[in-house]
Amino acid sequence: MSDESSHSAGTGVRDDGYDDLLDAVENGSGYYLECANGHGSVPPRRVCPDCGTDDLTETPLPESGEIETYTVTHVATPSFSEDTPYVTAIARFGAVRVTGQIRNIDPDNVEEGLPVELTTARSEAGTERFLGFRPR
């Protein structure tokens, strides 16, 4: 895609592996990479980080996940300074853990075990596109 909305970091440069994942999530077909041993990882990857095999298959992500851990950011880099405070979390979606920003929720209402769905989001400045979570 040459559309500016598909580019990472507002740079106009496409990061194929990551932007492909973002595009898939936006189209409702999010996926992760799974090896024959059942290890899951988020693209881009060329080998499984657990066992080293290069035989990876795109596997559909479950529709919902669960927050395992999170942190609230009050002081951010310039690209995200308009977003503070915001919550970055790690959520488990089946065999894979995904890191993203939780959107549309007060940071005080986030807790471990919170059910979420995967989405994409943009920084308030509009310069960064990234993985996000929406509470279910």
Side-chain angles (χ1 to χ4, degrees):
M1 277 194 213
S2 62
D3 180 270
E4 177 64 29
S5 68
S6 68
H7 296 156
S8 288
T11 63
V13 176
R14 185 169 173 81
D15 179 355
D16 284 336
Y18 186 65
D19 281 322
D20 289 344
L21 174 62
L22 292 174
D23 292 344
V25 169
E26 286 178 355
N27 293 323
S29 55
Y31 63 91
Y32 66 98
L33 300 175
E34 185 175 40
C35 75
N37 295 316
H39 304 133
S41 59
V42 177
R45 293 263 183 218
R46 292 179 189 238
V47 298
C48 174
D50 291 311
C51 65
T53 183
D54 63 356
D55 185 16
L56 303 175
T57 303
E58 288 184 9
T59 304
L61 275 165
E63 288 186 22
S64 67
E66 188 174 280
I67 299 299
E68 289 189 341
T69 189
Y70 65 93
T71 189
V72 180
T73 300
H74 295 278
V75 179
T77 64
S79 297
F80 290 95
S81 62
E82 295 177 36
D83 297 57
T84 58
Y86 61 86
V87 180
T88 300
I90 298 174
R92 175 151 310 269
F93 287 81
V96 69
R97 293 170 46 160
V98 179
T99 301
Q101 226 185 74
I102 303 176
R103 308 295 276 192
N104 305 320
I105 189 171
D106 184 302
D108 292 334
N109 294 331
V110 175
E111 61 187 19
E112 291 176 10
L114 178 72
V116 293
E117 62 185 44
L118 191 60
T119 186
T120 63
R122 277 205 181 272
S123 63
E124 289 296 322
T127 57
E128 302 288 336
R129 184 173 75 136
F130 52 89
L131 291 172
F133 304 121
R134 262 193 309 255
R136 286 188 65 100

